[in-house]
Amino acid sequence: MLRFALAILLALPLSACFQDETVTGYGGDRLWDLTEIDGAPFTHRATLRFEEGGNVSGQAPCNRFFMRQTAPYPWLEFSPIAGTKMACPDYKAEAAYLDSLREMTLVEISGDVMILSNEAGRKMVFSAAKADG
């Protein structure tokens, strides 16, 4: 019995090393709809999804995109954004979304709200999508 208890105590610190340090590991594993950038409502459809292993994808007003989360939660850093290159009339909104996303350095999740922010005071607010898909 003592050996078993000792084995458990030795294994506990090792199990902490394997916690998912991405946004997914902290409740962010769902589809998020962008609702505002810097306090102004964002009226175009834009989404963000954090996936297992640090993969991130989404839909900007025109194009689908993907990247990787490269910093542990609650910090936020992305690999370069890659995606489709379709033309559309909402290109200004797309540029505003993707440019803002590149600047975010911190993430906070509280229930159905996710806030991305940076030290300069910029902020993006997302809400959990009603129909996750």
Side-chain angles (χ1 to χ4, degrees), residues 83-110:
T84 59
K85 298 197 183 287
M86 297 172 47
C88 79
D90 295 330
Y91 184 74
K92 281 187 177 182
E94 173 141 330
Y97 175 50
L98 295 176
D99 290 346
S100 295
L101 198 55
R102 285 181 186 98
E103 293 182 25
M104 298 298 114
T105 58
L106 193 64
V107 59
E108 176 184 353
I109 298 171
S110 180

Side-chain angles (χ1 to χ4, degrees), residues 3-51:
R3 283 186 187 169
F4 178 73
L6 184 58
I8 295 293
L9 287 174
L10 291 174
L12 284 175
L14 290 176
S15 67
C17 295
F18 297 107
Q19 180 176 351
D20 184 352
E21 291 297 323
T22 66
V23 174
T24 302
Y26 291 85
D29 58 343
R30 51 185 143 171
L31 184 65
W32 297 96
D33 287 324
L34 179 63
T35 59
E36 67 180 67
I37 296 177
D38 298 330
F42 194 79
T43 58
H44 296 82
R45 172 84 166 141
T47 65
L48 189 61
R49 181 185 298 272
F50 291 90
E51 302 166 4

Side-chain angles (χ1 to χ4, degrees), residues 25 78 126 130:
F78 297 120
F126 292 80
K130 301 288 187 238

Side-chain angles (χ1 to χ4, degrees), residues 111-124:
D112 288 341
V113 175
M114 178 175 69
I115 299 172
L116 307 183
S117 60
N118 68 18
E119 290 180 3
R122 299 214 52 211
K123 185 171 18 174
M124 298 175 79

